[in-house]
Amino acid sequence: MSQSDRNGLTYSDAGVDIDAGNLLVEKIKPAVRSTRRPGADGEIGGFGGLFDLKAAGFTDPVLVAANDGVGTKLKIAIDADRHDTVGIDLVAMCVNDLVVQGAEPLFFLDYFATGKLDPDQGAAIVGGIAEGCRQAGCALIGGETAEMPGMYAGGDYDLAGFAVGAAERGKLLPAGDIAEGDVILGLSSSGVHSNGYSLVRKIVALSGLAWDAPAPFAEGKSLAEALMTPTKIYVKPLLKAIRETGAINALAHITGGGFPENIPRVLPKHLAAEIDLDAVKAPAVFSWLSRTGGVAATEMLRTFNCGVGMIAVVSAEDVERVSAVLEAEGESVFTLGRMVARAEGAAGTSYKGTLAL
């Protein structure tokens, strides 16, 4: 045997399959194409994605960027072998953070890293990302697929997403006129969204239920299917309400940290959010998690959205007008609380009533 034969290793021998990567790119091209919008009509495969702000209709835009992941909800997708919806979560976690700043999501890029690339699995994941982009009205203009044997255990993968949006200068939120007495509107969530899944998985382990067992809180669904309900994307209803009413003073995306961490991020230091917990109609999944894990209401409020995925702050006289636009777009809207004066050093949220779990 010659020296060259003995050392004739290939990238494939090291665990990286270039052909599988090329096959994935071909498989996802139709899904990517389906997300085209004014400003973005190129094909994937170049060294970077292009976007034309002028073609998107902006005159003096401020760009807003956000990035996020899906978290350990991916472990449920991997364990249950269900990969077609986590891409929606990925997009949702990014674009919902853009719209709360008054920005229209324009384009999205993803990063998909895995130990062993399965083109069909990858195509299912990117199909979900494309669906999320269609729901948000943004274009999927590029991404990166990384096959990294030794970094990820067999079957494991991770996702990250990057979204860029724009708003005309002077139209960003929060607006400067948030005032004491303003009303806090709650928009219903679709479920757990994509936060707190390390605790969710611990509770499932305590329950002894398998992922394919019937969900105790969702008739006709398996436990995995119910817990993987994708994060709601609020972009189109909120943009419509912002543009048609001009009456939204602030928005907050309720993610990890719940009300106490997320609402104060958009408030001036002299105001606090008084939340009426009696107004929160927590979906059955939260009752099951709380009961099965023995999780106290305060911990539920710090970890999960508890049924409220987004909040809007509006003046009292604008409540009906804003609610009507959102409800016409299919949102479930309710009065969650009001803005009150905040004493120096006090928390940004306070509660009255009881969270019904």
Side-chain angles (χ1 to χ4, degrees):
M1 184 184 290
S2 72
Q3 186 72 22
S4 61
D5 288 338
R6 279 201 306 275
N7 293 339
L9 285 173
T10 65
Y11 211 4
S12 184
D13 293 330
V16 178
D17 188 341
I18 292 171
D19 293 333
N22 291 336
L23 177 59
L24 174 60
V25 171
E26 289 309 309
K27 279 180 175 287
I28 65 177
K29 277 185 176 177
V32 172
R33 216 171 279 133
S34 74
T35 69
R36 286 177 169 174
R37 53 151 292 154
D41 58 5
E43 283 280 4
I44 57 169
F47 285 98
L50 303 178
F51 193 90
D52 184 344
L53 276 169
K54 192 173 280 187
F58 288 91
T59 53
D60 185 21
V62 175
L63 294 179
V64 185
N67 74 304
D68 212 332
V70 181
T72 57
K73 190 173 188 176
L74 289 179
K75 284 296 288 179
I76 302 177
I78 292 161
D79 292 346
D81 196 23
R82 302 177 67 97
H83 309 284
D84 56 338
T85 60
V86 286
I88 300 174
D89 290 292
L90 182 67
V91 175
M93 297 306 289
C94 295
V95 297
N96 285 342
D97 279 357
L98 293 184
V99 76
V100 297
Q101 295 173 87
E104 175 188 342
L106 301 177
F107 59 86
F108 190 89
L109 299 100
D110 69 279
Y111 174 77
F112 167 43
T114 181
K116 178 68 178 166
L117 182 59
D118 174 342
D120 289 329
Q121 180 197 65
I125 291 165
V126 177
I129 293 170
E131 170 59 25
C133 286
R134 289 192 296 271
Q135 289 182 25
C138 66
L140 178 56
I141 65 167
E144 166 70 358
T145 301
E147 190 173 26
M148 299 197 285
M151 284 286 286
Y152 293 89
D156 281 353
Y157 62 86
D158 199 8
L159 291 175
F162 310 85
V164 173
E168 292 292 356
R169 196 175 303 276
K171 298 289 188 181
L172 289 168
L173 294 177
D177 45 3
I178 305 171
E180 193 174 342
D182 279 3
V183 173
I184 302 167
L185 298 177
L187 279 68
S188 294
S189 68
S190 57
V192 186
H193 284 185
S194 200
N195 301 104
Y197 274 85
S198 295
L199 180 55
V200 169
R201 287 167 45 247
K202 196 168 184 66
I203 292 168
V204 169
L206 282 172
S207 77
L209 292 173
W211 293 119
D212 58 359
F217 52 86
E219 199 173 341
K221 291 185 176 180
S222 70
L223 184 60
E225 185 183 4
L227 288 174
M228 287 187 64
T229 301
T231 306
K232 184 181 277 194
I233 292 176
Y234 297 93
V235 169
K236 290 180 179 177
L238 285 176
L239 285 177
K240 194 172 175 67
I242 290 167
R243 289 166 178 172
E244 287 193 3
T245 70
I248 292 181
N249 297 331
L251 295 165
H253 184 199
I254 308 303
T255 54
F259 298 148
E261 296 293 331
N262 290 290
I263 297 177
R265 292 165 71 177
V266 298
L267 302 182
K269 298 297 182 199
H270 68 284
L271 292 175
E274 183 186 74
I275 304 294
D276 178 7
L277 294 177
D278 290 330
V280 178
K281 303 289 184 283
V285 60
F286 295 108
S287 301
W288 182 79
L289 289 168
S290 175
R291 191 172 62 250
T292 308
V295 185
T298 51
E299 187 66 16
M300 292 294 293
L301 287 165
R302 276 186 50 184
T303 308
F304 300 113
N305 67 62
C306 293
V308 185
M310 186 72 71
I311 66 104
V313 179
V314 300
S315 301
E317 63 267 24
D318 294 317
V319 167
E320 286 186 23
R321 203 156 54 98
V322 172
S323 297
V325 174
L326 291 170
E327 285 166 353
E329 291 294 301
E331 295 299 329
S332 176
V333 187
F334 52 95
T335 298
L336 178 65
R338 64 194 183 97
M339 302 308 305
V340 296
R342 187 193 327 190
E344 192 171 342
T349 52
S350 63
Y351 303 104
K352 63 177 188 177
T354 309
L355 183 65
L357 291 167

